[in-house]
Amino acid sequence: MSCECVYCPCYIRCNTKRTSHTAQVLNQAKTSQFSAYSLSNGYQWIQYGSISNIMMKFYGVEGFSIDWLSMVFMLTYIPFIFPVAWLLQKKGLRVTALLANVLNFAGSWIKVASAKSNLFGVTMFGQFISALSQVFILGMPSRMASVWFGASEVSTACSIGVLGNQAS
């Protein structure tokens, strides 16, 4: 059974090779979009580190507490990578990307809502939600490249996907 559809769910179901120019443009656009929200999440990770002295005065906490806002990203990755990898394998890129973006959005707005000097715990919770989003985002570039691109394009697509997080 042959299919001319350029959308990923159909591609996965019917396992046909997409080579049209439209499919390539669509895949490059999706990769750029992924790179952009990866950049957004990477910024969430380090946003407090560059202004730690200001954040210490604002929240009235020690520097170590501000450092934990960054460390929570690394610590969140460890217990959640296996469930997220399973979810990526079972539910696919669309569900994983949507969850990553919802979590990143929610974490960002929780941190905006915590812009009062007595709400450092809320800031930490928002940072944890953004850290959980990063677990989803970091697992996607290789899967995205292998599903959406041909063998000769996989490494380029994967590197573009990773570039967003590294550019922050």
Side-chain angles (χ1 to χ4, degrees), residues 96-150:
T96 306
L98 286 172
L99 283 171
N101 281 300
V102 165
L103 288 168
N104 201 31
F105 177 81
S108 298
W109 278 105
I110 289 169
K111 290 188 285 184
V112 167
S114 72
K116 291 185 180 176
S117 61
N118 62 336
L119 296 177
F120 182 76
V122 177
T123 302
M124 182 62 81
F125 177 69
Q127 194 74 346
F128 168 75
I129 297 299
S130 293
L132 190 56
S133 173
Q134 185 188 46
V135 179
F136 286 81
I137 290 171
L138 291 182
M140 289 180 61
S142 59
R143 177 79 174 150
M144 181 182 64
S146 67
V147 170
W148 291 343
F149 293 90

Side-chain angles (χ1 to χ4, degrees), residues 33-151:
Q33 183 181 21
F34 170 80
S35 190
Y37 66 77
S38 181
L39 173 70
S40 169
N41 185 261
Y43 174 74
Q44 298 293 325
W45 177 21
I46 59 171
Q47 74 185 69
Y48 294 112
S50 60
I51 56 169
S52 61
N53 59 337
I54 296 168
M55 299 307 291
M56 286 170 27
K57 288 178 188 172
F58 180 76
Y59 284 115
V61 296
E62 298 289 324
F64 187 69
S65 297
I66 300 299
D67 291 341
W68 267 102
L69 291 169
S70 176
M71 288 187 283
V72 71
F73 272 74
M74 293 170 262
L75 292 174
T76 302
Y77 190 84
I78 296 166
F80 289 102
I81 186 58
F82 294 113
V84 169
W86 176 84
L87 185 70
L88 178 60
Q89 185 68 32
K90 293 295 180 186
K91 297 296 181 181
L93 289 165
R94 180 183 169 108
V95 170
T96 306
L98 286 172
L99 283 171
N101 281 300
V102 165
L103 288 168
N104 201 31
F105 177 81
S108 298
W109 278 105
I110 289 169
K111 290 188 285 184
V112 167
S114 72
K116 291 185 180 176
S117 61
N118 62 336
L119 296 177
F120 182 76
V122 177
T123 302
M124 182 62 81
F125 177 69
Q127 194 74 346
F128 168 75
I129 297 299
S130 293
L132 190 56
S133 173
Q134 185 188 46
V135 179
F136 286 81
I137 290 171
L138 291 182
M140 289 180 61
S142 59
R143 177 79 174 150
M144 181 182 64
S146 67
V147 170
W148 291 343
F149 293 90

Side-chain angles (χ1 to χ4, degrees), residues 19-41:
T19 58
S20 73
H21 179 69
T22 305
Q24 290 174 351
V25 170
L26 181 63
N27 290 342
Q28 290 170 356
K30 289 187 279 189
T31 303
S32 297
Q33 183 181 21
F34 170 80
S35 190
Y37 66 77
S38 181
L39 173 70
S40 169
N41 185 261

